[in-house]
Amino acid sequence: MYSSALSKISRTAVRAATRSPLARTIATSTASLSQIKEGLVLGLFSSNKLCGADQAALTPSQQKHILDHVGALGHTGESGSVHLVLSDDLKKQIAVVGLGPESAKQQSEVVRMAVANGIKRLCANKVSNVSVGPMPSAKAASEGAALALYSFDHFKSKKSANDKPKSITYLADNSSNAQSQAAGEWSSGEIYAEAQNWARDLMNTPANFMTPTIFAQRVQEELQNLSNVSVNVYDAQWAEEQRMGGLLAVSRGSEEPLRFVEIIYKGDKSSTDVSLAMVGKGITFDTGGYSLKPGRHMDLMKGDMGGGATVVSAMRAIAKLQLPINVVATVPLCENMISGRATKVSDIYTSRAGLTVEVMNTDAEGRIVLGDALHYTVEKHQPRAIIDVATLTGAMVVALGELYTGVFTPSPMLWSRISTASNASDEPVWRMPLHDVWDSMLESPVADLSNIGNKSEAGACTAAAFLRHFVRDNAKDAAGDKEKTVPGEQNNDESLPRWAHLDIAGPMEGTTTAGHHHKGMSGRPTRLLVELANQLSKEKL
């Protein structure tokens, strides 16, 4: 955590000014701190070893100077710590950040947090130009820097941009190969982080400035000029032609017209197969409809399109990285409001899949619009794998809090890929169960399905079970169910398309400012989605 480095420096200087040249240097440098505009973020392992000091062009005497200073402050390189030191020529502020042991298992997240801490510390001191010393992962360092600098101040009179550095430079190994590799990793990290920051922007923007129409326009502006990308935006008439009864039912209560965004990225010229499809929930504001939400925390419902935001942001990064893979994303967009035309509890609609659904809770609207979008995406694009991402249930928040994304999938192979992408991006996920019992809880006496379970339990699980009905051919699913004599877990199904549901209701909002995190909408798990596409581009399912 942040230490009061300057105050400690001042106290040390007062106590020892007459005894030590080092202390006299500190006292002199503290007085002129505000005039020093050059900064360096430098890593320190718990073994008291500076990370990449030689590559950062630090002489042995300069390294000793830094180690003596941090030693005097009790800095032992523990991860999460940051201490400020001034260079021996008093021309540079150096944020020495703890990296913990060199053998740390989650080194990338340690680096990401460390660089973020260092950048924030230097920004607080109005540093104009920052260099980041060599780190165990240049990509993670880049992500930490970009994520740390994020702020949402579009609607404030005083912008925070003036407090940000004018430039950030990464210092790599002196060899040309190492420099080229590090430059590539740093650039890749910037793209990953910028994607998450864009998702943060979309989610943080209030609903009167982020209607379905505006969201669709923002997507077109950001993606339409990227190579190998096409963006289609559809309206209510198209939704009617596509038999999207669910999307139409949810949108009825709002005066804002619905939109349906479709992004097609063709990065693999050798194949027409769609390796991955992503469907994001796009409720730009959710009152709950007639199943009205409590007033407390309803402001967070501007971020109920978080699934859509992370999906389109991931597509932006995939296209900028020019990954050799074909990916499709769809986002059904509307508001869930109350009016004389709004869907009522017990209303029945016919979904695109032909299944009739009794609406027993209008606040369970996300699964309704996702059902139509899933069915359309599977039928139109026939992907090998499809993932839906949604701020879907409060039950998931209760189960996993804000740290983990809950993942429901019957496919061990797809789960393995998601888990691997999670480890690479440090976006935590947890596999949740799918079971035949959840299906029986969705039975309705008057329709094919109810949109909620008939018991006050397993809310996140029954939501996932509902969505699964719209991924596969329902006649085949029904035939398969009849062959079962005992209900069981749905955990070993590799038939196409492999499907996973990501419930991001917990991680949609961040409540900490530690490292690269910010209070407000988090933009997670954008980096995980990009990393999943990256891995699938190298080894298809």
Side-chain angles (χ1 to χ4, degrees):
M1 303 296 90
Y2 292 126
S3 65
S4 302
L6 292 182
S7 62
K8 287 184 179 179
I9 289 174
S10 299
R11 290 196 298 270
T12 303
V14 170
R15 288 196 301 265
T18 59
R19 301 196 307 268
S20 165
L22 172 62
R24 287 196 294 272
T25 299
I26 295 174
T28 302
S29 61
T30 303
S32 58
L33 183 66
S34 61
Q35 301 174 10
I36 303 173
K37 299 301 182 181
E38 299 297 314
L40 170 66
V41 177
L42 193 63
L44 177 67
F45 292 113
S46 55
S47 58
N48 202 39
K49 173 185 174 184
L50 292 171
C51 180
D54 295 334
Q55 291 87 345
L58 295 175
T59 65
S61 63
Q62 290 173 326
Q63 295 179 41
K64 183 177 184 302
H65 168 83
I66 294 169
L67 290 173
D68 286 346
H69 276 63
V70 296
L73 296 171
H75 190 1
T76 59
E78 65 275 11
S79 61
S81 61
V82 55
H83 290 266
L84 191 67
V85 173
L86 297 183
S87 60
D88 52 2
D89 59 5
L90 307 182
K91 293 182 178 180
K92 186 175 292 184
Q93 299 185 44
I94 303 173
V96 182
V97 295
L99 297 177
E102 292 185 64
S103 60
K105 290 183 178 180
Q106 290 185 304
Q107 190 69 57
S108 60
E109 179 64 3
V110 171
V111 169
R112 198 177 288 112
M113 293 290 281
V115 172
N117 286 335
I119 292 286
K120 284 182 175 180
R121 190 71 179 86
L122 294 174
C123 284
N125 287 347
K126 312 296 184 184
V127 169
S128 298
N129 303 297
V130 176
S131 298
V132 177
M135 293 285 169
S137 168
K139 178 175 177 289
S142 177
E143 290 174 349
L147 292 171
L149 290 175
Y150 175 80
S151 62
F152 187 76
D153 55 9
H154 303 294
F155 300 97
K156 289 194 173 188
S157 301
K158 184 180 183 300
K159 309 297 184 184
S160 61
N162 296 331
D163 300 330
K164 297 178 181 179
K166 295 178 181 178
S167 67
I168 299 179
T169 305
Y170 186 68
L171 304 175
D173 192 293
N174 294 328
S175 68
S176 58
N177 289 339
Q179 287 181 348
S180 177
Q181 180 179 349
E185 290 181 5
W186 182 269
S187 176
S188 175
E190 282 185 320
I191 293 173
Y192 275 69
E194 286 170 359
Q196 182 175 343
N197 283 341
W198 187 43
R200 285 169 162 176
D201 268 351
L202 293 172
M203 295 172 70
N204 276 319
T205 303
N208 59 327
F209 288 94
M210 191 53 64
T211 64
T213 299
I214 296 173
F215 185 105
Q217 290 171 344
R218 290 285 301 275
V219 173
Q220 286 182 308
E221 292 167 1
E222 286 286 336
L223 277 74
Q224 65 184 357
N225 293 323
L226 297 178
S227 299
N228 303 318
V229 174
S230 58
V231 180
N232 303 315
V233 177
Y234 304 112
D235 59 12
Q237 182 179 345
W238 176 88
E240 289 178 0
E241 294 169 356
Q242 288 293 325
R243 313 178 313 281
M244 292 187 174
L247 177 56
L248 290 164
V250 174
S251 69
R252 285 176 59 86
S254 175
E255 294 184 5
E256 292 289 343
L258 71 82
R259 291 290 183 265
F260 189 97
V261 171
E262 179 181 48
I263 307 168
I264 301 170
Y265 171 72
K266 297 181 179 179
D268 184 1
K269 303 301 184 182
S270 66
S271 173
T272 59
D273 288 347
V274 175
S275 296
L276 175 65
M278 298 184 289
V279 180
K281 174 184 170 184
I283 304 298
T284 56
F285 194 79
D286 182 16
T287 67
Y290 279 108
S291 303
L292 187 65
K293 291 180 179 292
R296 188 167 180 256
H297 300 315
M298 194 188 282
D299 59 302
L300 298 179
M301 291 301 97
K302 65 184 178 183
D304 206 28
M305 30 60 77
T310 56
V311 162
V312 300
S313 297
M315 291 296 285
R316 178 179 183 255
I318 290 166
K320 285 195 170 187
L321 291 165
Q322 285 295 291
L323 297 181
I325 184 175
N326 298 329
V327 187
V328 168
T330 57
V331 183
L333 292 156
C334 68
E335 294 180 335
N336 186 24
M337 305 291 283
I338 297 174
S339 74
R341 299 181 65 251
T343 294
K344 302 171 290 297
V345 174
S346 81
D347 281 0
I348 294 175
Y349 73 89
T350 301
S351 67
R352 190 180 190 280
L355 293 170
T356 56
V357 179
E358 182 183 19
V359 180
M360 293 303 292
N361 188 319
T362 61
D363 194 25
E365 86 298 332
R367 67 199 71 179
I368 293 176
V369 302
L370 284 172
D372 281 346
L374 282 165
H375 191 267
Y376 167 82
T377 307
V378 169
E379 184 179 85
K380 173 76 179 293
H381 298 285
Q382 299 181 0
R384 295 187 61 81
I386 186 166
I387 292 175
D388 70 79
V389 187
T391 53
L392 207 63
T393 64
M396 186 55 66
V397 182
V398 174
L400 298 180
E402 70 176 77
L403 180 60
Y404 284 87
T405 290
V407 179
F408 295 83
T409 179
S411 165
M413 291 179 66
L414 182 54
W415 162 248
S416 176
R417 296 300 185 89
I418 293 171
S419 179
T420 301
S422 165
N423 292 333
S425 61
D426 296 304
E427 295 267 36
V429 296
W430 194 265
R431 191 177 184 184
M432 302 293 289
L434 285 167
H435 200 283
D436 295 334
V437 168
W438 312 150
D439 293 320
S440 65
M441 291 169 63
L442 293 170
E443 293 175 357
S444 164
V446 294
D448 296 325
L449 291 171
S450 168
N451 77 320
I452 60 170
N454 56 20
K455 297 180 180 179
S456 298
E457 60 185 47
C461 299
T462 53
F466 180 90
L467 292 173
R468 189 167 185 252
H469 282 274
F470 302 92
V471 177
R472 300 283 170 71
D473 182 279
N474 297 291
K476 292 180 181 178
D477 275 355
D481 289 344
K482 289 178 182 177
E483 296 174 4
K484 290 187 177 182
T485 57
V486 178
E489 292 185 8
Q490 301 168 357
N491 60 5
N492 193 26
D493 182 356
E494 299 295 353
S495 56
L496 299 181
R498 295 181 176 91
W499 162 74
H501 160 56
L502 275 59
D503 192 332
I504 62 169
M508 71 174 280
E509 182 197 16
T511 59
T512 177
T513 59
H516 58 79
H517 299 288
H518 285 261
K519 284 187 178 180
M521 298 298 148
S522 69
R524 295 174 51 202
T526 300
R527 290 184 292 106
L528 181 150
L529 299 176
V530 180
E531 184 58 33
L532 177 62
N534 180 39
Q535 294 185 11
L536 289 176
S537 73
K538 299 173 181 176
E539 184 180 355
K540 292 181 171 58
L541 269 172

